[in-house]
Structure formats: C-alpha cells, structure tokens
Amino acid sequence: MPSLHVADDGSLLVQNAYNYKEYLKQIGAKWMPELKAWRLSPYVSVSELMAIMPGLVIDNEVEKMIKHVSNLKKLHFASTAEVKHPDGLDSYQRVGVRFLADAKRAILADDVGLGKTAQAIRAAMEVDSKHVLVITKKSLLHNWTVEIKRWANSEAFTLTTQNTLPYPSPKFTVTNYEAAVRRLEELKMCSFDVLIVDEAAAIKNRRAQRSRAIHKLAKDIPYVWLLTATPMPNSPEEIWSLLHCIRPDVYSSYWRFVEKHCDYDYNFFGGTEIHGLKDPNAFAEEVAPLMLRRDKSLLNLPPVTQETIWLTLDGEQRRIYKDIRDKFLAVLDEEHIVTAPSVLAQLTRLRQVVCSPALVGGPDESAKTEALLEILEDLTPKHKVLVFTTFADYVRLLLPKLEPFGVVAITGDTPAQDRTKAVQKLNKDPNCRVFIGTIQAAGEGLNLQAADIVIFLNKSWTPAENEIQAVGRAHRRGQVNPVHVINLTAVRTIDEYIEEVLLEKKHATDAVEHLAERLRKEVF
C-alpha cells in the first residue's frame, strides 16, 4: 500500500508505490534511487495523487503539515538542484565559481535570483586574491558589503568621491560607477588582481564615459568578471562592450563584430538598425568559453502568470492627454499650461499624464490610481504586493493613499540604510502589505519574496528591466507561491505603443535564450 509521510528533511515522500510508471507519466515527478521514494512535483494536489494511487495512506504528520499550508491544493518542495555544499553554495553555484576561476575574464549572466554575487565573491576567494575591486550601482553598495561579510567573512571598504583609499589596500573595495569614473587614475595605480563589475549592462553603451572608464581599468587586471542577468538588454550588439571589456584583443572592433554576428540594415538617416543575430548557435559556440548563463529552472520556482487590466481615460485626464498628443501643449487652468517642445518631451508628458495629470501640474484624477486602490483592497488581505512605476513623483503622489495598506517605498533618492529597512519591513512585518518603487531603483538587488503579486503602473522601455529585474524581485529563490503580474494599461494611449515596442525588442533579443540553452548543454 503506498503511503505519504514526512521525511527527515521536511519533504513529503511517497513510499511503497507500485505504479510509479503511471505516476511519472501523469505527474512528472523525479525518481530518486538514493531515497527510494519520489519528491512530489511542485504543484500536485493530494486528490490527484490519490486518483493515481488508489488506497494511498496519509499519516497524521502529513495532515498536520497540510493544515499549515496556505494553499491546500498546491505543495511546493525544493528542487534537487538546491542541495547545499558545506560551503553554503548550491551545486550549480559551485559550477559558476569554477567557471569564473578557470576563465579568468568572463561574463556570469545567470538569471536574477541565482546568486551571482555569492558566486563572484567565492570565486575571488578561490583564486586566492589579495585585492578585489567591486564596481556596482550606488544603490547596491550596502548590499555588497553585507554579502562580502557573509560569503568571505571580510569587511569591505566603501570608496566614494569624498574619502580616500586606506594604505595598505583592503581585501575588498566596493565603489559605484560614478566614483570609479572620477577616480579612474587613482584606481589604475592600485594593484587589484580581481575586478567584479556588477549590473554590467550599465556599460553596454560603448561610447559612454563609464564604459570607457571600466574598459581602461579592466585592461591590466588579471581576473575580470562581469555580472549581469541582461547581457544584451535591448539589442544583440550591446554585448560587444562587455566582450571588449574582458577580451579587448579578440573583440577590438565593434563594426567587425556587427558585420560578423548581427543581422542589420541601414535606415533613412544612414544609421544601422540591428534586427538580431545572424546565427545564434554559431555565436553561442564562440562565446561559450567567456559567458555562462543559467535560468531559474534550476530553482524549480513556481510559475509566473500575466494579466492585463485595460483602463479608459476619462474627464480631465483624457482631455489633457489628447491636447498634448495633438497640439504638444495642454491648458491646465487659467494660469497654467504644460508644453512639450519636442517629440521626446511629448512622449514623456504623455506617459506622465496616463499615470496621473498631477505629474504635469494638473488635477489628481487618474484611472490607474483608482484601479490600483481597488485591486489592493481585494488582494492585500491575503497577499503582499509590489507596485512599480518609472516616475518617482508618482511614487510620492501615491504614498499617502497607500498608507492604509502599510506601505514602504524605494526611489532613487532613498538612502541605502532606508532601503534595507524597507525590505526587512515588507518581508517580516505582517502589517506591511505593499511595496512601491521606481523600476530603476527598486528593480535591482532586492529580495522581496514575501510578495507574490507584482503590479506595473507603467513600464520601462527595456524589456529586461520589467520582466527580469522588477518581476525578479518576487520571483526568485525562496518564493513558494506562484507570482501573478498585473499590467495596468490605458487603451488607445502611449501604453499600447510601449507594449508594441517591448514586444519587438523581446523578439530581437530572443537569441539570448537560444544562447542560454546552448551554454547549459555545454556546462551540464
């Protein structure tokens, strides 16, 4: 008679199951000879299991466990990929550490939530480095000091534009991109043997000052590791700057790279328009020794579902939107008008008005604000919710309205210590039900697994910032519930155009997934 019981490690195990072939076929669980039992697949209900295994016996301990599961129809258990080593790393993370150490100069492009920070720090320890320089975004400096203490048991010195490097140099120095640019010559004189560039998509623009500075700094450092979940966030040619950083001898010419790998043509103004990779498999084979990318399937995470709620602009919000769209200006009242002197300014104004006319000085009448409050009323009793926008002013406008839900917020102006407090409050305080932030500031480096609902008030122009960074705050290691994404989209507005652009960009960069699949086969 098959029986369902709790194993020593806390998972549910099926033992003495006589019809395992049928079980494998219908449920897709994995046979584990070393346990002589099955781990249940992440979302198999007890009723489904009993239908497959007639006479299944569920012991008392299992019944006690089920009572504490919030969703009785879904049981989630860790994947075998999450088996820990004595050093605290997962099996796939040990592969990443070995890859970085062996490659010396490489890109670690693992998906959000797979622990790129931990892998890089442990790799620095693995190569017996003496002086390590970490360059990251300003908002993530504190995160790195915490992670270095955790994984290297070492204090990190934070270099800013105001202080000076101590002598002798510390084991770990952490700085941000702006400080690295301003203090480039000073950093070049230091004897760093490892350079870790975090959120390396920040150097995708080969002409940008920060990119040129990092290229110069990396030139004479033996170990250079670039960490990013989005090696080519908008278009495949953006990866050239990253490849040039680690292998300037091979990837010395941008145009030679484009000619060889990119499908492109010329536009009306004589510039080039990149459409994708000519041969993703050939490109994957070429960069396999230099880039490792794994996705979240390693973690056996719950699924992500998408929903679009279509809204209609009414009243003053609709009038102001139409005036800016048609005339490049709108009269707000007898004394105030809002203008859009260029097409770019017009696009920005339209995006602001779709969120709320108050962002351009008009009345606070917003279909999105009303819809958000209604959705939160329904969802917050049972769920914690992440809310994202691209406008810090919209975050500030909404904060008083969201206070009844126990809200915390992060924008680009939020100090590092306040960011940490906001994350801790959302994850640990049962009365804190809503987190709101800008995609740019809150879409990176935060662990917000306490939430399982993500709402976009409006989106970034870059697909990866929406899908990988923002949604990835909730859909990452430690998430046990399915993550549901809600897109608030105003019909017949700039919102629809942005969705079209995002879809086109996603198609243009889908080659990344082909590349990831090829690299996974190489590694495993």
Side-chain angles (χ1 to χ4, degrees):
M1 187 70 66
S3 62
L4 183 65
H5 72 99
V6 181
D8 293 336
D9 65 357
S11 62
L12 296 189
L13 300 179
V14 181
Q15 290 189 328
N16 305 318
Y18 52 85
N19 50 356
Y20 70 92
K21 289 184 179 179
E22 183 66 16
Y23 178 68
L24 289 173
K25 177 180 177 182
Q26 297 192 33
I27 298 299
K30 297 179 180 179
W31 172 241
M32 300 181 63
E34 68 272 24
L35 294 180
K36 299 186 184 302
W38 290 275
R39 284 186 189 271
L40 299 184
S41 67
Y43 302 109
V44 55
S45 67
V46 173
S47 60
E48 289 175 320
L49 196 58
M50 295 185 71
I52 296 169
M53 298 182 182
L56 176 68
V57 176
I58 301 178
D59 67 20
N60 292 333
E61 290 300 316
V62 172
E63 290 184 357
K64 292 179 182 179
M65 174 180 283
I66 291 178
K67 290 179 181 179
H68 292 85
V69 177
S70 59
N71 187 345
L72 301 183
K73 295 182 180 179
K74 298 177 180 178
L75 305 175
H76 174 80
F77 303 101
S79 163
T80 56
E82 297 182 36
V83 175
K84 294 288 184 182
H85 286 255
D87 61 5
L89 296 177
D90 293 333
S91 300
Y92 74 88
Q93 291 176 323
R94 290 298 310 160
V95 172
V97 170
R98 190 72 262 153
F99 168 78
L100 293 176
D102 291 344
K104 291 190 175 181
R105 302 171 72 90
I107 303 170
L108 182 60
D110 283 350
D111 209 345
V112 170
L114 294 186
K116 294 184 291 295
T117 300
Q119 293 175 71
I121 294 171
R122 294 310 294 258
M125 305 298 290
E126 189 95 354
V127 300
D128 197 26
S129 57
K130 295 181 180 179
H131 302 296
V132 180
L133 174 63
V134 178
I135 300 177
T136 187
K137 294 188 175 181
K138 189 174 182 179
S139 60
L140 300 179
L141 288 173
H142 181 69
N143 285 28
W144 271 92
T145 60
V146 171
E147 292 299 299
I148 288 170
K149 179 65 175 178
R150 175 185 177 187
W151 294 104
N153 194 27
S154 176
E155 299 295 333
F157 176 78
T158 301
L159 178 67
T160 68
T161 56
Q162 305 297 324
N163 59 9
T164 57
L165 271 171
Y167 184 83
S169 299
K171 171 78 171 180
F172 287 91
T173 299
V174 181
T175 191
N176 62 298
Y177 283 101
E178 291 73 22
V181 171
R182 293 179 61 178
R183 307 186 67 168
L184 176 62
E185 295 304 319
E186 180 182 351
L187 291 172
K188 286 172 63 178
M189 295 176 63
C190 299
S191 56
F192 295 111
D193 41 22
V194 174
L195 170 63
I196 301 172
V197 183
D198 186 33
E199 300 295 343
I203 65 168
K204 65 181 183 296
N205 183 351
R206 71 188 192 281
R207 296 192 180 98
Q209 187 180 21
R210 67 169 61 172
S211 303
R212 295 177 184 271
I214 302 303
H215 291 163
K216 293 177 181 178
L217 185 59
K219 187 176 180 181
D220 299 319
I221 298 179
Y223 292 89
V224 179
W225 301 325
L226 309 185
L227 313 183
T228 175
T230 54
M232 28 189 166
N234 292 291
S235 185
E237 88 279 4
E238 292 174 335
I239 199 175
W240 178 86
S241 182
L242 280 66
L243 294 171
H244 176 71
C245 185
I246 59 174
R247 290 299 303 271
D249 54 333
V250 177
Y251 298 95
S252 57
S253 170
Y254 168 79
W255 290 110
R256 188 161 59 240
F257 175 85
V258 171
E259 288 279 353
K260 180 179 180 181
H261 290 295
C262 296
D263 180 17
Y264 70 96
D265 57 26
Y266 295 98
N267 59 29
F268 178 78
F269 302 100
T272 55
E273 292 187 359
I274 310 295
H275 301 296
L277 290 170
K278 290 180 181 177
D279 187 344
N281 289 329
F283 180 67
E285 186 173 351
E286 179 179 320
V287 301
L290 303 177
M291 187 167 82
L292 178 64
R293 178 172 174 80
R294 283 82 56 88
D295 65 22
K296 292 179 182 177
S297 63
L298 288 169
L299 301 180
N300 199 18
L301 290 174
V304 175
T305 54
Q306 297 275 347
E307 176 186 5
T308 297
I309 295 179
W310 299 95
L311 306 173
T312 301
L313 304 188
D314 294 314
E316 279 294 279
Q317 185 177 24
R318 180 173 179 79
R319 181 192 68 79
I320 293 172
Y321 180 89
K322 290 181 65 178
D323 285 349
I324 294 176
R325 182 194 64 191
D326 300 339
K327 308 172 186 176
F328 283 74
L329 64 84
V331 177
L332 302 180
D333 53 41
E334 294 182 355
E335 298 180 357
H336 301 92
I337 64 170
V338 58
T339 63
S342 66
V343 173
L344 183 59
Q346 182 193 39
L347 290 175
T348 301
R349 291 285 183 266
L350 292 176
R351 297 180 73 200
Q352 290 173 317
V353 173
V354 165
C355 289
S356 172
L359 299 186
V360 297
D364 187 12
E365 299 176 9
S366 168
K368 288 194 176 184
T369 299
E370 292 179 6
L372 174 66
L373 296 177
E374 290 177 359
I375 292 170
L376 294 179
E377 287 283 355
D378 292 337
L379 294 180
T380 51
K382 293 185 178 180
H383 302 272
K384 292 196 175 189
V385 182
L386 307 184
V387 181
F388 288 106
T389 176
T390 60
F391 299 113
D393 285 344
Y394 198 24
V395 173
R396 289 187 279 269
L397 180 68
L398 287 171
L399 275 176
K401 306 176 191 297
L402 300 181
E403 285 183 0
F405 304 104
V407 66
V408 290
I410 289 180
T411 66
D413 298 329
T414 307
Q417 60 269 27
D418 291 343
R419 289 169 60 94
T420 302
K421 291 178 182 177
V423 172
Q424 291 176 345
K425 186 173 183 179
L426 181 79
N427 286 332
K428 297 180 180 180
D429 185 349
N431 295 318
C432 179
R433 312 302 296 175
V434 175
F435 171 101
I436 186 170
T438 55
I439 295 174
Q440 300 87 335
E444 297 173 338
L446 304 180
N447 296 311
L448 304 172
Q449 303 93 322
D452 55 8
I453 304 291
V454 178
I455 299 176
F456 283 104
L457 295 169
N458 71 309
K459 290 185 177 180
S460 163
W461 289 100
T462 303
E465 289 185 353
N466 304 316
E467 298 176 13
I468 298 178
Q469 296 290 3
V471 177
R473 297 309 101 209
H475 193 241
R476 60 196 297 114
R477 179 195 300 276
Q479 180 58 264
V480 298
N481 298 315
V483 174
H484 187 58
V485 179
I486 300 174
N487 304 296
L488 298 184
T489 305
V491 296
R492 296 185 296 280
T493 70
I494 187 71
D495 278 358
E496 291 189 350
Y497 172 66
I498 291 173
E499 289 297 334
E500 291 175 5
V501 172
L502 291 173
L503 184 60
E504 290 178 3
K505 287 185 176 182
K506 188 175 187 305
H507 288 161
T509 56
D510 270 348
V512 175
E513 295 306 318
H514 295 289
L515 172 61
E517 181 64 24
R518 178 67 176 268
L519 293 178
R520 281 197 297 274
K521 291 179 180 178
E522 292 287 339
V523 174
F524 296 104

